[in-house]
Amino acid sequence: MVELPRRRPVISKDKLLIKKDYSYSDIAGNNIDIQTESIGGSIRAAGATITIDSNVERNITVAGASVDIKSGTKAKGIYISSGDVNFEGEAEDLMINGNVVTINGIVTNNVKVNCTKLIIGKKAKVIGNFKVKSEEDMEVLGDFNTNNITFEKINYDKNETRLLGKINILGKFARIITAIILAVLITLLCNKYNNKAVERLTGCLIAPCPR
């Protein structure tokens, strides 16, 4: 289990557990678990399983096999590309590409979902536009007013069309991971050269700098 340092993008093959109120940006790992009261800025994460239970100052952008947004999570915009998705938090805007998607939280503006199946929980509340593209009919567990939903059922006539849809999700996942890796490499390189500059400056204060 790895506890992340402050304000640094991180890649780890271990489980990442975040419990301190730091400002994180880019995170990539196997299992990511964010359990902290608040996070400054935005979260961009890619992993096998991602769990977030935190008040995020700006946006959340994640890609994974499974994503769980807990009820303690609040953000301006939440953008998810995943297999199964469970959303119980609160957001101004919510966009999801997934397999089985469960919405049981609050969205004060707009929701857009592209999925195999959508489940609307008893606590779900959407104030703005609610657009859904799904292969299967929606499952509504409470008294949610489905008249406000713009629903489009996806009919795949050919296996190739279904495959293209999956490739599109995988492509988004790969782009997020690539962006995170690049951010980590850039940060590590900057830290390396900054450290060398500090060492050189310190040496100059003690002895004349070489010309």
Side-chain angles (χ1 to χ4, degrees), residues 12-205:
S12 175
K13 65 180 180 180
D14 299 316
K15 180 176 180 179
L16 300 177
L17 177 61
I18 303 173
K19 286 190 174 181
K20 294 185 178 180
D21 297 345
Y22 290 152
S23 295
Y24 296 94
S25 54
D26 303 301
I27 306 167
N30 186 21
N31 300 309
I32 299 171
D33 192 357
I34 302 175
Q35 304 175 22
T36 181
E37 184 176 346
S38 64
I39 292 213
S42 298
I43 293 176
R44 293 182 294 272
T49 63
I50 300 173
T51 302
I52 300 177
D53 192 1
S54 176
N55 186 357
V56 179
E57 183 182 357
R58 297 182 66 187
N59 302 321
I60 297 173
T61 304
V62 294
S66 176
V67 174
D68 189 3
I69 306 296
K70 298 291 189 181
S71 59
T73 301
K74 186 176 181 180
K76 289 185 177 180
I78 298 181
Y79 310 99
I80 303 171
S81 290
S82 178
D84 294 340
V85 178
N86 179 51
F87 172 78
E88 298 179 351
E90 182 176 344
E92 293 182 11
D93 292 291
L94 178 65
M95 294 182 63
I96 301 175
N97 276 303
N99 183 32
V100 178
V101 175
T102 301
I103 295 179
N104 199 28
I106 299 172
V107 182
T108 56
N109 284 330
N110 302 319
V111 175
K112 187 175 181 180
V113 177
N114 191 337
C115 64
T116 301
K117 182 176 181 179
L118 173 64
I119 301 172
I120 300 177
K122 295 180 180 180
K123 298 180 180 180
K125 183 178 180 180
V126 177
I127 297 175
N129 297 322
F130 196 162
K131 296 182 179 181
V132 179
K133 290 184 179 181
S134 177
E135 296 180 37
E136 301 180 15
D137 292 332
M138 295 180 295
E139 181 179 347
V140 182
L141 302 181
D143 56 357
F144 190 91
N145 185 6
T146 57
N147 292 329
N148 295 327
I149 298 177
T150 302
F151 182 82
E152 179 182 343
K153 192 165 186 178
I154 304 172
N155 295 313
Y156 290 107
D157 296 328
K158 297 180 180 180
N159 292 332
E160 290 81 3
T161 307
R162 180 186 294 268
L163 179 61
L164 287 174
K166 292 181 178 179
I167 290 174
N168 184 41
I169 293 176
L170 289 173
K172 292 179 180 179
F173 181 82
R175 285 195 295 271
I176 292 175
I177 291 178
T178 301
I180 292 173
I181 291 174
L182 286 174
V184 172
L185 292 176
I186 291 171
T187 300
L188 292 177
L189 286 173
C190 288
N191 288 339
K192 178 181 177 182
Y193 287 113
N194 285 339
N195 291 336
K196 286 185 177 180
V198 171
E199 291 174 1
R200 180 179 174 84
L201 178 60
T202 305
C204 288
L205 293 175

